Amino acid sequence: MSELNRFFSDAPEIQTAAHTTREQRTRLGQVFTPYAIAKCMAQWVSARRSPASVLDPALGLGVFLRCLLEDEKNAGSKMTGFEVDPETAAAAKHLFESSGYAHIKVENSNYLEADWESKFDAILCNPPYRKFRGLPDKEQMATTFMRHTGITFSRAANLYIFFLIKLIWQLAEGGRAAVILPFEFLNADYGVPVKQLLLDHGILRKVLILGEALQPFTVVITTACILCLERSAQSNPPEFVTVHSMEELSAIAARFKHEDGSSQASTGNGQAVRSPGEKWLVPMRLNQAANKKMVPLSTFGKVMRGIATGDNAFFVISEAQREQAELDEECVLPCLAKSSYAADLEFSQEHFSRLRASQKPVWLVNLAGWEDLPAVERYIEYGLARGTDMRFLTSKRSPWYALEQRPAAPLLVTTFSRGKLRWVRNRAGVRNLTAFHGFYPHTGVDLDLLCAYLVTPLAQERLTHQRREYGNGLHKYEPNDLNRAMVMDVRAMGDAEKCEVCELYGALLLHSDDELLMQLDEAFRRFDR
């Protein structure tokens, strides 16, 4: 490969990734953008005219600027890139200089600490993917952004949100920006003020959601989208499009130069933009024929959060602690305090017994109504001595040691996840704390049939659109996220189909096997067609 061909390719990023550890890239939040995707984004910002000034706030090795330079009409553009890592900045500077582009300005500094006054005709960015909570200067940063924007920021936000907000401020009149970032902020609570900002400025033109076959962020558990922004008069609402292949993305990019800048009518793959407080990403194929076979999960039952004790150290105890406190089993309830305690598709009495024998905290102290027992009286005094009664939740209860009245849920679902959502049949009848939500089916619901569907990859794909992003690959599902989630209407299946999937699900409970799971998944996909 010639040096020029190497410059206009993924080669610099591939070589750098081969000589740096994943830990180094994670520390900096670095996720390199594939050249082909970067080129499509560059086509958006340069489709109408060659930009006079260009900014990349998170330069890396300058893939976006290289894509612009590949088109000779952009050779005269004044280009600036910010890169906080000294080694990466030096490598980028050398790469540009050795390829004949010494005029490219590489700033080895933090873009978020630079001025807000400069304006740019084109901005291209793949912002760093890092948890805001873990930054040493997070409070100062939040204060600075509050002063400039008037926005109060959630500590659950990821660092990429701050890059997006600042570059919105620096986009010049008539200018365009393309930003690739995780789509989860479109659904998360911390994304609400950002979505409001996009609508207030009237600059959001397109949201290109990259489908499963087109995921650039292989080292991050997240789904990407490309925001296409333009600061000009807007006559049409933003367009949301799911892109399933590189060919589709290239075809969309090829049309940029033929568009007038305002969003076009939906291609049949789009959706209407919602209010900032609502989720903006709806499973696209659910708007098509498959919608006829989908219903909200609330059709079959209700998801409720687990029991919040207010002080697990007091309320959740092991067998040895129960015996030491001399609390009868009448005064405690079997419980699941951690999601890791129920790692299989079902949680049986045998599983509970093993946890109990290994001295895991499996008992939920249930003192209300047993105050006359000496052991209970002593345990209440112990709680008063340690200040449990003054905790936030307990101080609002009467009596303070009374538990929330919540029956055992026959089906449990993990609150947080890294990867797939886990559904666990609660055969042991234990209470669940907040690590799990509980699902309470309506009378007459075939829970085996519903569970058979919920554990499949097909269901997982669709449920991901309801999750909330907490950064670093961690996702959360609130009860109402799941209650509103669209699931297959398994009631519409034929008797033979129901029998087939229930038999496969029964076998899967006995032998957790990938092959069985794939067979189960295929059975539901056949019905879904």
Side-chain angles (χ1 to χ4, degrees):
M1 181 183 291
S2 70
E3 283 303 309
L4 191 59
N5 287 340
R6 180 180 179 276
F7 184 75
F8 296 124
S9 76
D10 287 311
E13 283 77 19
I14 293 173
Q15 182 179 358
T16 297
H19 292 86
T20 57
T21 65
R22 179 170 177 173
E23 288 70 25
Q24 287 175 290
R25 297 193 298 276
T26 300
R27 176 176 54 83
L28 295 169
Q30 289 181 337
V31 184
F32 295 126
T33 311
Y35 193 88
I37 293 178
K39 190 171 182 177
C40 293
M41 295 168 63
Q43 285 177 264
W44 167 258
V45 301
S46 61
R48 297 176 63 195
R49 63 176 185 230
S50 178
S53 57
V54 182
L55 169 69
D56 185 341
L59 184 67
L61 295 178
V63 65
F64 293 116
L65 304 188
R66 289 172 6 231
C67 288
L68 280 174
L69 291 168
E70 188 175 1
D71 189 336
E72 292 183 357
K73 73 176 185 180
N74 300 317
S77 299
K78 180 182 178 181
M79 300 185 182
T80 303
F82 284 82
E83 175 52 54
V84 70
D85 179 50
E87 291 185 11
T88 305
K93 187 175 179 62
H94 174 74
L95 181 61
F96 284 118
E97 290 177 349
S98 63
S99 302
Y101 298 100
H103 65 285
I104 304 302
K105 186 178 182 181
V106 178
E107 294 276 6
N108 178 208
S109 58
N110 187 345
Y111 166 69
L112 298 181
E113 297 175 357
D115 75 88
W116 288 65
E117 288 70 38
S118 300
K119 302 294 182 182
F120 298 88
D121 298 314
I123 302 176
L124 290 153
C125 187
N126 175 357
Y129 187 85
R130 286 189 64 189
K131 290 187 291 186
F132 176 61
R133 280 196 180 101
L135 298 177
D137 55 349
K138 60 182 182 296
E139 297 304 329
Q140 180 181 347
M141 184 190 307
T143 301
T144 299
F145 272 67
M146 172 66 180
R147 185 172 66 251
H148 280 281
T149 68
I151 299 174
T152 301
F153 295 92
S154 166
R155 298 311 185 261
N158 198 286
L159 189 61
Y160 64 76
I161 292 294
F162 293 84
F163 276 75
L164 175 59
I165 288 171
K166 187 176 181 186
L167 68 85
I168 289 172
W169 244 259
Q170 295 194 273
L171 186 61
E173 189 65 35
R176 282 186 166 191
V179 188
I180 184 169
L181 71 178
F183 81 77
E184 285 88 348
F185 86 93
L186 298 172
N187 287 353
D189 288 343
Y190 65 75
V192 171
V194 187
K195 292 186 288 184
Q196 185 69 62
L197 183 68
L198 289 168
L199 297 182
D200 288 347
H201 281 246
I203 63 174
L204 182 61
R205 297 294 180 269
K206 300 177 187 292
V207 179
L208 306 179
I209 302 151
L210 304 186
E212 291 180 11
L214 196 61
Q215 285 306 309
F217 301 156
T218 55
V219 297
V220 179
I221 306 174
T222 188
T223 300
C225 70
I226 297 171
L227 303 185
C228 297
L229 313 177
E230 180 177 355
R231 192 174 294 285
S232 62
Q234 184 175 14
S235 58
N236 293 315
E239 182 184 24
F240 288 66
V241 181
T242 298
V243 185
H244 299 288
S245 67
M246 194 61 235
E247 289 74 21
E248 283 187 27
L249 184 60
S250 297
I252 291 171
R255 294 196 295 270
F256 289 156
K257 62 183 176 183
H258 303 300
E259 299 176 358
D260 64 3
S262 62
S263 294
Q264 305 300 301
S266 171
T267 61
N269 198 11
Q271 67 181 64
V273 71
R274 304 178 170 199
S275 70
E278 295 181 90
K279 289 179 170 60
W280 276 13
L281 185 61
V282 174
M284 294 302 167
R285 60 176 163 168
L286 299 191
N287 294 330
Q288 303 173 28
N291 190 46
K292 299 175 183 177
K293 297 179 180 178
M294 306 297 288
V295 294
L297 181 59
S298 58
T299 304
F300 300 101
K302 185 176 182 180
V303 177
M304 298 179 67
R305 67 165 176 79
I307 296 171
T309 67
D311 184 3
N312 279 5
F314 174 82
F315 285 101
V316 188
I317 61 176
S318 67
E319 174 68 6
Q321 289 173 312
R322 183 189 69 80
E323 292 177 347
Q324 183 179 9
E326 298 181 329
L327 292 173
D328 293 337
E329 288 192 23
E330 295 173 320
C331 307
V332 292
L333 297 169
C335 73
L336 271 174
K338 296 183 178 180
S339 60
S340 59
Y341 290 171
D344 299 327
L345 292 174
E346 64 179 351
F347 185 78
S348 66
Q349 188 60 51
E350 182 181 350
H351 289 117
F352 177 80
S353 296
R354 286 203 296 265
L355 290 175
R356 178 179 180 177
S358 63
Q359 298 304 324
K360 300 294 184 185
V362 296
W363 294 118
L364 182 61
V365 175
N366 183 33
L367 307 178
W370 302 99
E371 292 89 344
D372 291 341
L373 298 178
V376 170
E377 186 178 358
R378 289 194 300 271
Y379 203 77
I380 291 174
E381 291 174 356
Y382 161 67
L384 292 170
R386 71 189 310 277
T388 297
D389 61 315
M390 302 301 293
R391 297 268 184 141
F392 178 76
L393 290 180
T394 55
S395 64
K396 294 174 171 51
R397 296 176 187 154
S398 181
W400 63 265
Y401 49 81
L403 295 174
E404 294 179 289
Q405 295 301 305
R406 196 70 53 82
L411 178 62
L412 307 176
V413 56
T414 47
T415 303
F416 288 95
S417 67
R418 294 185 187 276
K420 68 178 184 179
L421 193 63
R422 289 199 299 110
W423 299 87
V424 180
R425 288 297 296 274
N426 182 12
R427 306 286 191 186
V430 297
R431 302 307 200 276
N432 59 291
L433 301 192
T434 54
F436 288 99
H437 298 316
F439 179 76
Y440 299 87
H442 298 321
T443 303
V445 167
D446 188 336
L447 195 55
D448 281 338
L449 182 61
L450 180 62
C451 286
Y453 167 71
L454 291 173
V455 301
T456 63
L458 175 61
Q460 296 289 330
E461 290 168 13
R462 292 173 172 176
L463 289 170
T464 57
H465 297 285
Q466 291 296 118
R467 71 191 182 194
R468 302 176 184 222
E469 171 65 20
Y470 274 65
N472 204 26
L474 182 65
H475 307 122
K476 183 180 182 181
Y477 294 81
E478 296 289 357
N480 281 336
D481 294 337
L482 293 169
N483 285 322
R484 291 191 292 261
M486 300 301 286
V487 299
M488 183 179 290
D489 190 352
V490 294
R491 300 169 301 181
M493 300 178 76
D495 290 342
E497 292 170 316
K498 292 178 181 179
C499 183
E500 178 188 5
V501 297
C502 284
E503 284 183 3
L504 286 169
Y505 177 62
L508 190 64
L509 292 178
L510 292 174
H511 306 286
S512 184
D513 179 81
D514 288 344
E515 179 61 31
L516 282 171
L517 182 59
M518 290 303 101
Q519 291 180 35
L520 183 61
D521 186 69
E522 176 56 29
F524 280 107
R525 289 182 189 272
R526 286 199 305 271
F527 173 70
D528 193 42
R529 294 184 187 122

